[in-house]
Amino acid sequence: MNSIKLKNIRTFSYHGCLVEESKIGSDYSVDLEIKADLKRSMETDELEDTVDYVHLNKIVTEEMAIRSKLLEHVAKRIMNRVFKEIPMVTFVMVAVSKINPPIGGDVQAVTIQLEEKRQ
């Protein structure tokens, strides 16, 4: 299997359990890695034979725009859409990071990472 990785997709979103988070928002970073058989695209040089990373980025940005209380929830939605919309993907790893989280300490980021193989 071959990999495609999108690193540090930056969004401004409104995730969190606190009411304030739903109003003021925060900066987020998302890393996405997929695995798929890319042999055909290596030979044909055609976009329809690979996983389009523009499509992957669109899934991430659209799902990050939908408010969730938990990062796990938004990460799982991203994962579900990748599997649903791109049949050739066999594995997804998604990491969602909240930058400067409001947790009463000097913390650069909090990250949730999920990994799943296609069933």
Side-chain angles (χ1 to χ4, degrees), residues 56-98:
L56 294 171
N57 185 65
K58 181 179 184 233
I59 290 170
V60 170
T61 56
E62 286 178 357
E63 292 303 322
M64 288 299 290
I66 301 168
R67 178 166 160 46
S68 290
K69 290 185 275 184
L70 302 176
L71 298 181
E72 296 93 312
H73 189 258
V74 69
K76 182 64 174 169
R77 286 198 327 261
I78 292 168
M79 183 177 288
N80 288 347
R81 273 196 60 194
V82 170
F83 282 133
K84 179 181 178 188
E85 295 178 20
I86 310 172
M88 71 184 296
V89 171
T90 60
F91 170 85
V92 176
M93 184 286 300
V94 60
V96 179
S97 299
K98 181 182 278 194

Side-chain angles (χ1 to χ4, degrees), residues 10-118:
R10 293 175 300 280
T11 70
F12 189 84
S13 303
Y14 296 87
H15 307 300
C17 292
L18 302 175
V19 174
E20 296 81 17
E21 292 174 300
S22 70
K23 294 179 182 175
I24 62 171
S26 296
D27 290 311
Y28 291 82
S29 172
V30 178
D31 293 331
L32 181 66
E33 177 181 356
I34 64 91
K35 292 191 185 293
D37 184 352
L38 304 178
K39 289 178 192 156
R40 183 172 170 89
S41 62
M42 287 186 258
E43 297 296 324
T44 66
D45 196 28
E46 297 296 334
L47 183 59
E48 62 266 8
D49 293 329
T50 193
V51 177
D52 185 354
Y53 48 81
V54 172
H55 187 177
L56 294 171
N57 185 65
K58 181 179 184 233
I59 290 170
V60 170
T61 56
E62 286 178 357
E63 292 303 322
M64 288 299 290
I66 301 168
R67 178 166 160 46
S68 290
K69 290 185 275 184
L70 302 176
L71 298 181
E72 296 93 312
H73 189 258
V74 69
K76 182 64 174 169
R77 286 198 327 261
I78 292 168
M79 183 177 288
N80 288 347
R81 273 196 60 194
V82 170
F83 282 133
K84 179 181 178 188
E85 295 178 20
I86 310 172
M88 71 184 296
V89 171
T90 60
F91 170 85
V92 176
M93 184 286 300
V94 60
V96 179
S97 299
K98 181 182 278 194
I99 311 301
N100 297 317
I103 61 175
D106 187 11
V107 178
Q108 180 180 358
V110 170
T111 303
I112 181 71
Q113 180 173 313
L114 302 179
E115 298 179 12
E116 193 171 300
K117 292 181 181 178
R118 183 179 292 281

